Amino acid sequence: MLDFKQLQEEGEFLLVETDDWFTAPNGQKFKSVWGKCKVLDAKDILGFKPSQSTNWYLQIGDNEKAMFVAGCRIHYAHVCLKQPSGNDTYKIG
């Protein structure tokens, strides 16, 4: 079972499927992303608490390569320690 407290503090490698397609920094469209993830409060990402919006985000990767997915846009998330081999997942890490 996924321990969200551990995920929030230390991070874990996850395979995350989003509700919709997204355009990655390489210009290609993907519906899933893989990398080390952390749960963050919306205020930590945006600098303010949005009203009537998602209240948490999943950060995949770190530094300049980080990607953020709103919690409400995550369809599935799986612990996945080994990098997926296919080309249909955007990989950060």
Side-chain angles (χ1 to χ4, degrees):
M1 186 159 91
L2 188 56
D3 180 354
F4 279 99
K5 183 173 182 173
Q6 184 266 340
L7 180 66
Q8 195 166 10
E9 294 171 358
E10 301 171 20
E12 182 72 73
F13 281 92
L14 297 180
L15 177 60
V16 179
E17 184 177 333
T18 58
D19 286 339
D20 298 305
W21 293 91
F22 62 89
T23 303
N26 65 6
Q28 296 180 345
K29 293 197 179 280
F30 295 93
K31 202 166 178 188
S32 61
V33 58
W34 175 87
K36 192 167 187 175
C37 298
K38 284 185 173 181
V39 176
L40 298 174
D41 189 80
K43 187 174 182 180
D44 296 335
I45 300 295
L46 303 172
F48 63 92
K49 181 79 169 168
S51 61
Q52 299 183 4
S53 185
T54 188
N55 59 356
W56 65 278
Y57 284 79
L58 190 64
Q59 175 183 334
I60 303 104
D62 55 10
N63 300 327
E64 299 84 38
K65 294 185 178 186
M67 177 178 162
F68 300 90
V69 178
C72 62
R73 306 310 300 165
I74 296 171
H75 195 74
Y76 294 109
H78 311 273
V79 174
C80 183
L81 302 179
K82 186 176 176 186
Q83 183 175 353
S85 59
N87 293 328
D88 55 348
T89 299
Y90 184 61
K91 298 161 188 88
I92 303 173

